[in-house]
Structure formats: C-alpha cells, structure tokens
Amino acid sequence: MAGVLNFTSTPLISRPIWRHTKVKIASSNRVSVIKSSTDVSDTASTSVKEEPKSGFSVITPPPNFKPPEPKRFGVRPDKVSDVITASLNLLFRLGTGVFVSGYSVSLVPKNEYPSGQYGLEFSGYIVKESSKLGPRPEKPIEIYEFEGCPFCRKVREIVAVLDLDVLFYPCPRNGPTFRPKVGQMGGKQMFPYMVDPNTGVAMYESDDIIKYLVQKYGDGNVPLSLSLGLLTTLTAGFAMIGRMGKGSIYTKAKMPPQPLEVWAYEASPFSKLVREVLVELELPHILHSCARGSPKRQELYARVGHFQAPYLEDPNTGVKMFESAEIVEYLRATYAL
C-alpha cells in the first residue's frame, strides 16, 4: 500500500495478444488485441489520450471521477477485514516476495541523504535499500494465470524476488479470452503458462518456470522458500485461504484496447486486493514489480513524487491513482458490465 517511485517508459509489447492474428470476441464489448502504453503524464489526468480504433470498446472513467490523495499506511475502515485476510500470505509464506534478491539496507543520516531520493525516514535517519539484480529482459515476460492458484502464486513470488516486469493475461474460470487461448497455444488449459518474448521460450509447470527465470534473469539459485516441493505448494495454498475464491471466477467486463499498468508486488495485501479484481475482470495488465529493494521504487518516486503500492495507470482513460480500495472501485465502475 505505501511507498514512492519514478519510472522509465514501459517496454513496447512487440505483438498482439493473439500473436499474429487479430480476433474479435463474440461479445461486442470485448476485443482481444492489446498493445502496451508508452505515454504517461501527471497523476490526476483522466482524459482519454486518443480515440480507440474501430471495433474497440470506448473506455471512459466514472462521471466526475477524481483520483484520491494517497494516504500512507492508512486503511479505509470498511476494508480492514479485507486487508487482514489478504495479509495471511506473510504468515504462511514467511515473507517470500517482500524483498528483491540481494536485498540490503543501510542507515544514512537524514541531513546527508540526497534530496529527491526515495527512502524511509526513521529517527533522524533514512533507511537506504538496495538489491543485486540479474540481467534485465528487454520486453516484459508474458504470464497467463489467475489469483486463486497456488502454482501461479509461486511464479508471482519469483517475479517479485527477481524484480521483473510482467505482462499478465488473467485466466479466471469461465474467462472467454485468455484461458481458451492458452489451450490453443500450448495444447492444454493448465496454469501458469509463461511466454518469454525475448527468447521465444514458452512453458507450463510452475517449478520449471521458476528455474527458467532465475537462470535467465537471476543468479541461478532458486530461493529456499520456493524450492521445498510439496511444502512450497501447500503453504502457497494456505496463504490464500483467507481470500478463498477471490480472483478466480470471471466477471463480465469490457476488454481495454491497451493493458493497464500497475506498480505492485506479490506480498503486499493491498496489491493483492487490486490484483483480484484485475483477474476477475480479465483485464490484461503490465505489473511493474516493486518489492523492497527494487530500484523501481526510486523510479516511481521521481516520476510522481510519491511511492506507494499499488499504483495504477490506465492508458485507456488517462487515470493515474494510488489507494487500493479506490482502485478496486474504479476498476469495477469503469470495466464491469
């Protein structure tokens, strides 16, 4: 929920979701071709940047919508129970995904800390966080998955540890778009399913995906908490017990012409609440993972003057906003049918 970042422009998605063919879904409100956003302006904008192409749904924000002011470490009273149940992952997964690989911390006197730099203030000092990252993929990794799946959760955790940007294609049960597409691409509807556009590699099986990602974009070592076989899978399942069924079943919604962009990370309960709705509405989104130690925290801070996760940018409406509860309400009001 709380924090601040400055970001570079999002990598272009090099091809449409359906790879080489544009496909219109039977519903007149859903279109399957998505492109990434490359233009982001100030945080309060709500104007549509350009007219959608023929065949795309017109996406507009709710009438008189105004993004809320971020409230650091605040929980809206009617959302306390949701935050508590979404926090169980921290207990069962022992904080996996809270920290980026190679995380380290140091204390710097506040008067010696450069202005304009992100850091947590503590008793006259600034907590400076850093990490050791592996090679960075040029294009976002593409992952087809859904929230209520322990195998998918394991992959999302390694995404946070490796500080990767991922283009998520949500595959809730009864979802009309991406779940069937996985069957077409890989031969079976099994999740998670990963496609790396940087190498052409595509694969099922969470453990194989984790090994591939750490070898390609990490130091080659799978974290202990993700290498315990059945125990890892069981605890990943227990971590979601408080949110049973959330983020798993499709809610009819409009398909956006461009994927939404979210700055979040797997271990954050506030981020989880937003991710659940993104999956239920089957909204493709580029997730800029920003666990503790991520350089993207500084990037977002420099970009908008504040760091807090989750943070949403919707290139289809121009809306940019913090605060998980209000993001959830915005998504439902804008996209749910």
Side-chain angles (χ1 to χ4, degrees), residues 163-334:
D163 199 44
L164 297 175
D165 286 351
V166 171
L167 175 53
F168 279 111
Y169 293 121
C171 300
R173 287 197 296 273
N174 303 321
T177 308
F178 305 119
R179 182 172 279 255
K181 184 58 184 177
V182 170
Q184 296 173 23
M185 291 190 299
K188 51 188 174 182
Q189 290 188 25
M190 188 171 76
F191 305 95
Y193 181 70
M194 183 209 73
V195 177
D196 186 346
N198 303 282
T199 62
V201 169
M203 63 174 66
Y204 293 103
E205 297 294 342
S206 57
D207 289 341
D208 292 340
I209 293 172
I210 290 169
K211 290 176 184 176
Y212 169 82
L213 291 176
V214 298
Q215 290 169 2
K216 190 69 179 175
Y217 303 113
D219 61 6
N221 298 310
V222 176
L224 177 63
S225 60
L226 285 167
S227 61
L228 300 177
L230 179 59
L231 181 60
T232 295
T233 302
L234 287 174
T235 55
F238 291 147
M240 299 182 291
I241 199 168
R243 306 295 299 166
M244 191 71 71
K246 301 292 185 180
S248 298
I249 301 174
Y250 174 64
T251 297
K252 190 175 180 180
K254 305 171 189 174
M255 176 64 72
Q258 299 182 71
L260 285 67
E261 297 190 45
V262 183
W263 283 260
Y265 60 104
E266 180 61 22
S268 162
F270 304 99
S271 298
K272 181 171 181 59
L273 298 176
V274 170
R275 270 269 310 164
E276 287 174 352
V277 177
L278 287 168
V279 172
E280 291 170 358
L281 299 178
E282 205 186 33
L283 299 177
H285 54 283
I286 298 174
L287 185 138
H288 303 281
S289 188
C290 52
R292 302 220 68 93
S294 170
K296 295 177 205 149
R297 293 189 169 223
Q298 170 58 33
E299 292 171 1
L300 185 58
Y301 182 83
R303 177 174 178 160
V304 301
H306 185 71
F307 174 80
Q308 186 167 302
Y311 171 69
L312 172 75
E313 292 189 349
D314 186 346
N316 305 288
T317 63
V319 166
K320 302 170 180 66
M321 62 188 297
F322 293 99
E323 294 300 324
S324 59
E326 285 79 4
I327 291 174
V328 166
E329 293 172 347
Y330 164 79
L331 293 173
R332 293 196 184 280
T334 303

Side-chain angles (χ1 to χ4, degrees), residues 44-83:
S45 172
T46 58
S47 61
V48 178
K49 297 185 186 306
E50 59 183 41
E51 291 297 319
K53 295 181 180 179
S54 176
F56 284 84
S57 300
V58 176
I59 309 296
T60 58
N64 303 315
F65 177 79
K66 182 179 179 181
E69 290 296 321
K71 298 178 283 293
R72 192 163 185 168
F73 302 121
V75 180
R76 214 169 72 180
D78 62 324
K79 298 299 179 182
V80 171
S81 61
D82 285 337
V83 173

